[in-house]
């Protein structure tokens, strides 16, 4: 038995992970590459966006544990062994970090702090109308690990929070909805829309010209999920037309965001470098270790991905 580490991390990043794994799984053989690994002995792979094909030729593999919460890139590898369960990273520490980022973005939009930053650059002294939190409607798209934590944090902060998911959900203090009709209604009512959907065929290009036109005029958009949820040219057009008031974007079609990309210098876009909720090796290694122990005892791993649904 032993664990293959596969993915696009620097040596320094892997060193941090290895230290955390050694703490969580003392004595466990860890191999940083297929070439170094005893391939017949590998029963688990810890992966961080590995190159396509990286998990082929491992006959004893019985768990693919993603170190990232989003598995869209991993699942797009056609050579992924079909019968090996894929578990995604679900770490309460990440949910907390995501809730902090979302709260910052929502506060910034609600209280006009991004507008004040723009005014500072223009040497402009102008107070904006001040609304109470309960007068601000925030719509959460996706009520899973991240979206659920964010919805509850925003509700606790006093915002009028609604949420939308595929299956019905119950969350204290959150008005939850499913289906296309409810989506259209809640989208039209929201002052701020926060996206925390997974990237699947059903959600790719979700924010296109039609959906952006269905938002309340001047509403804020916060995308903390995946860049491909947003049709970037359509968002630029909606911002320039005043249909979307301001966008806070953590994720992009191409990352790192290319230096000449218009988002960098757009007055109504706030850019984050995919930093809304970083995986913390210290807590994530413990989550991964629990799944290793589970599969080695013949149990299914926690948070296995449904390959049909794509998340
Ligand atoms: P989960 O799988 O826990 O939750 C997904 C939610 O979206 C569920 O409520 C699900 O509904 C809902 N959903 C999925 N498909 C649809 C659909 N077609 N229509 C309506 N609702 C849908 O995901 P997480 O909360 O862990 O992650 C959310 C996003 O955050 C992902 O895109 C992930 O990649 C991203 N992420 C971003 C990070 C960052 O730093 N920016 C860090 C970590 C994650 P149901 O409950 O019914 O299944």
């Amino acid at each position: 038995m032993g664990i293959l580490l596969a993915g696009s991390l620097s040596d320094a990043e892997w060193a941090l992970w290895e230290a955390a794994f050694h703490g969580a799984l003392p004595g466990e053989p860890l191999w940083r590459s297929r070439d170094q690994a005893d391939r017949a002995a590998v029963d688990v792979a810890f992966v961080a966006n590995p190159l396509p094909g990286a998990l082929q030729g491992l006959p004893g593999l019985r768990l693919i544990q993603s170190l990232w919460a989003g598995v869209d890139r991993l699942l797009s590898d056609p050579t992924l062994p079909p019968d090996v369960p894929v578990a995604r990273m679900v770490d309460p520490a990440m949910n907390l970090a995501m809730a902090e980022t979302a709260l910052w973005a929502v506060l910034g939009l609600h209280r006009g702090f991004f507008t004040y930053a723009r005014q500072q650059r223009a040497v402009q002294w102008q107070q904006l109308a001040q609304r109470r939190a309960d007068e601000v409607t925030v719509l959460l798209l996706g009520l899973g690990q991240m979206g659920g934590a964010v919805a509850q944090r925003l509700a606790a902060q006093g915002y009028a929070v609604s949420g939308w998911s595929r299956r019905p959900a119950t969350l204290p203090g959150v008005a939850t909805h499913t289906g296309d009709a409810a989506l259209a209604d809640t989208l039209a009512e929201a002052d701020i829309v926060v996206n925390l959907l997974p990237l699947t065929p059903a959600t790719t290009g979700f924010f296109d010209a039609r959906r952006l036109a269905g938002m309340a005029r001047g509403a804020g958009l916060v995308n903390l999920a995946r860049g491909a949820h947003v049709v970037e040219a359509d968002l630029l057009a909606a911002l320039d037309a005043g249909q979307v008031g301001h966008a806070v974007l953590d994720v992009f079609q191409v990352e790192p965001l290319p230096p000449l990309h218009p988002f960098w210098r757009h007055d109504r876009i706030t850019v984050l470098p995919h930093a809304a909720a970083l995986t913390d090796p210290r807590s994530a290694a413990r989550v991964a270790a629990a799944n290793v122990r589970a599969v080695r005892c013949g149990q299914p791993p926690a948070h296995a991905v449904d390959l049909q649904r794509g998340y």
Side-chain angles (χ1 to χ4, degrees):
M1 291 184 297
I3 299 177
L4 175 69
L5 309 178
S8 45
L9 296 184
S10 66
D11 284 348
E13 287 168 322
W14 275 130
L16 275 179
W17 278 103
E18 276 173 345
F21 292 141
H22 283 310
L25 292 161
E28 180 77 30
L30 295 173
W31 294 289
R32 242 201 242 182
S33 83
R34 267 162 62 92
D35 298 339
Q36 294 165 2
D38 175 354
R39 290 190 204 175
V42 170
D43 63 338
V44 172
F46 287 165
V47 302
N49 287 338
L51 290 174
L55 302 178
Q56 280 184 306
L58 301 169
L61 194 62
R62 47 180 168 159
L63 171 65
I64 299 170
Q65 171 68 56
S66 174
L67 302 180
W68 300 161
V71 288
D72 39 284
R73 257 177 75 183
L74 178 64
L75 299 189
S76 69
D77 176 357
T79 69
L80 210 59
D83 304 324
V84 180
V86 176
R88 63 195 198 87
M89 180 50 63
V90 171
D91 178 356
M94 279 180 85
N95 298 349
L96 204 64
M98 186 60 88
E100 289 167 354
T101 304
L103 178 59
W104 160 80
V106 167
L107 273 170
L109 292 166
H110 153 213
R111 292 293 311 280
F113 297 138
F114 300 118
T115 307
Y116 286 134
R118 202 161 55 233
Q119 288 182 187
Q120 180 181 350
R121 290 194 294 274
V123 194
Q124 190 183 358
W125 182 280
Q126 190 187 332
Q127 292 170 345
L128 303 171
Q130 183 176 297
R131 285 181 299 170
R132 298 193 313 260
D134 65 304
E135 296 171 318
V136 177
T137 302
V138 184
L139 170 62
L140 252 300
L141 299 175
L143 291 172
Q145 292 296 324
M146 303 278 169
V150 168
Q152 283 179 283
R153 174 65 75 89
L154 294 175
Q157 197 70 27
Y159 289 104
V161 182
S162 60
W164 186 73
S165 56
R166 207 168 53 88
R167 296 165 299 181
T170 308
L171 280 173
V174 180
T176 56
H177 306 273
T178 58
D180 287 346
L183 173 63
D185 291 347
T186 48
L187 210 52
E189 285 164 10
D191 299 297
I192 300 169
V193 177
V194 180
N195 177 37
L196 279 166
L197 290 167
L199 185 64
T200 68
T203 64
T204 300
F206 190 89
F207 290 98
D208 58 5
R210 186 180 64 85
R211 275 239 168 73
L212 294 166
M215 288 169 61
R217 187 161 179 82
L221 175 65
V222 182
N223 186 18
L224 306 176
R226 282 293 180 264
H229 283 132
V230 172
V231 180
E232 293 186 342
D234 291 358
L235 175 60
L236 281 171
L239 283 160
D240 292 342
Q243 169 57 18
V244 173
H246 192 98
V248 179
L249 305 175
D250 182 53
V251 284
F252 305 91
Q253 296 270 1
V254 176
E255 296 180 6
L257 188 62
L260 296 180
H261 197 289
F263 283 179
W264 277 117
R265 289 165 193 86
H266 200 289
D267 241 11
R268 291 176 185 274
I269 294 180
T270 300
V271 168
L272 297 178
H274 199 142
L278 303 180
T279 310
D280 182 337
R282 294 165 300 179
S283 49
R286 291 195 292 272
V287 172
N291 260 353
V292 172
R293 289 189 203 101
V295 295
R296 286 182 181 163
C297 293
Q299 307 290 322
H303 305 294
V305 174
D306 180 331
L307 298 180
Q308 291 301 106
R309 288 189 321 201
Y311 67 96

